[in-house]
Amino acid sequence: MSFEQLMQDAKNIREQAAKLLARERSGTAGVYKAEDFMPGLAYIEPLFEPFSRLPHPDKYNPLIADLTAAMQQLMTQSTPVTKLSQDVKFVETHLDKVTTTDGAYLHDWTGAAATAFKANFLDTFRTISGNQFTALSMMKGVLEAHQEMWRKARTDIDKIAHDTLDVFANAGSCNKADVTFEFSVLSAVGTTLAAIITIATGGATAPVVAIGAAAAVGNAGIAGKATVNASTVSSVLNSMKQAVADLTEYINDVEAQQMADRVRALNEAMHANKDLLVSARPRLAGMSDRDLVGDDGIGHTG
């Protein structure tokens, strides 16, 4: 099966259906030719045409790669690994040094600024970077879920076309079987366990994610299915039309409901927890030169 041949498959469905209808209807009422039924089947190609323009899943790869690279920069040895972060490799420990080495270097720094810097920046750095890692993990999951939705939608519409052609190809067989249309697009989005960014005690947050292709592993059974009688060409075509309508509804449900609701919840969670994602702006940044060099400013070392 090949999605790229979808419109050719649609044309073949129309031609095969016309031939079989001519065979079914020919008899005592007269002799029919396939050409007699072609005009009445003109709806078939337009039925499939919108699906031929589905976004290509590979277009998401550069964006996913960018997020993976950003996660790489934020990942520390204490960052928990989930299915959405399992392809992010540990290559350095620069962020770990911020809370250890820097703290030692600044041990003799005293004053209000020193106290605030250690409490509001050093002590929270690992948590902040962990939350940023979590946020990026969520974004990556959203893109992977959307990518998987289009990949599965392409597979589903391609299968509808090929299943219909297979039934027509076996129309003259005594073992003619019912046709079953199945839809995998419903499994493109995993279950979101929670849409909130939380602080883990003593380290980075665990990515709170279950949205994305990886999270849907094992959910292959989440699928729509329709089995119809294949005794006549009309019954097969009607079932094919219903299958296309069902797939359209499933895609709308996954994108407009399941995915949109999760993205909205994740977006709201990040906006509501900005202080857990970005380190506080240092008070020194707004001080006058006179205050900056005083005890309430930079303070003293040594």
Side-chain angles (χ1 to χ4, degrees):
M1 294 188 290
S2 174
F3 174 80
E4 284 68 25
Q5 301 299 317
L6 181 63
M7 293 314 298
Q8 180 60 49
D9 290 338
K11 181 175 181 292
N12 293 340
I13 290 173
R14 184 184 181 194
E15 292 173 349
Q16 290 300 315
K19 291 178 183 179
L20 293 173
L21 282 172
R23 184 193 304 174
E24 278 185 359
R25 305 292 171 81
S26 293
T28 56
V31 178
Y32 293 92
K33 296 182 295 183
E35 291 76 10
D36 299 328
F37 297 94
M38 288 294 282
L41 299 174
Y43 67 87
I44 292 178
E45 283 102 319
L47 187 68
F48 286 90
E49 193 278 332
F51 292 90
S52 70
R53 295 181 277 108
L54 292 179
H56 198 296
D58 288 350
K59 297 293 185 181
Y60 288 79
N61 289 338
L63 293 173
I64 293 173
D66 286 345
L67 287 174
T68 301
M71 290 169 65
Q72 177 78 66
Q73 298 300 314
L74 289 169
M75 198 169 196
T76 69
Q77 296 292 344
S78 64
T79 306
V81 176
T82 69
K83 287 185 177 181
L84 288 178
S85 63
Q86 61 188 1
D87 58 338
V88 181
K89 306 300 182 185
F90 294 109
V91 295
E92 56 189 28
T93 57
H94 293 329
L95 294 187
D96 286 336
K97 294 177 182 178
V98 171
T99 56
T100 57
T101 306
D102 287 1
Y105 287 156
L106 301 175
H107 183 268
D108 295 329
W109 184 23
T110 61
T115 300
F117 180 78
K118 293 173 182 176
N120 300 327
F121 186 81
L122 287 186
D123 291 349
T124 63
F125 186 85
R126 186 170 294 178
T127 297
I128 292 292
S129 62
N131 284 336
Q132 290 176 354
F133 182 91
T134 298
L136 289 175
S137 182
M138 291 175 178
M139 295 176 196
K140 180 170 176 278
V142 168
L143 288 180
E144 288 184 343
H146 214 225
Q147 179 186 50
E148 187 69 4
M149 184 193 75
W150 293 126
R151 183 179 289 118
K152 289 184 180 295
R154 284 172 164 234
T155 298
D156 288 347
I157 191 65
D158 190 48
K159 191 173 186 302
I160 289 173
H162 279 266
D163 285 350
T164 303
L165 286 171
D166 288 345
V167 172
F168 287 162
N170 295 313
S173 171
C174 60
N175 295 321
K176 179 171 54 180
D178 290 346
V179 58
T180 299
F181 296 115
E182 297 183 2
F183 311 98
S184 61
V185 72
L186 292 175
S187 66
V189 182
T191 303
T192 300
L193 301 179
I196 189 170
I197 299 172
T198 57
I199 293 182
T201 303
T205 59
V208 186
V209 287
I211 179 172
V217 174
N219 288 349
I222 304 177
K225 181 181 293 187
T227 302
V228 298
N229 187 291
S231 59
T232 67
V233 174
S234 294
S235 66
V236 173
L237 289 176
N238 287 335
S239 296
M240 179 192 74
K241 287 190 289 185
Q242 185 59 51
V244 172
D246 288 344
L247 178 57
T248 302
E249 182 179 350
Y250 292 148
I251 292 174
N252 289 335
D253 179 62
V254 169
E255 184 171 37
Q257 297 300 320
Q258 297 185 46
M259 196 172 298
D261 289 346
R262 286 162 172 76
V263 171
R264 190 177 300 110
L266 296 176
N267 187 55
E268 290 174 355
M270 285 189 279
H271 278 285
N273 292 276
K274 289 181 180 180
D275 58 327
L276 305 182
L277 288 164
V278 181
S279 296
R281 186 173 186 269
R283 291 175 54 195
L284 296 177
M287 283 188 174
S288 65
D289 291 344
R290 175 181 297 179
D291 293 333
L292 191 61
V293 297
D295 291 337
D296 292 332
I298 295 178
H300 307 279
T301 59

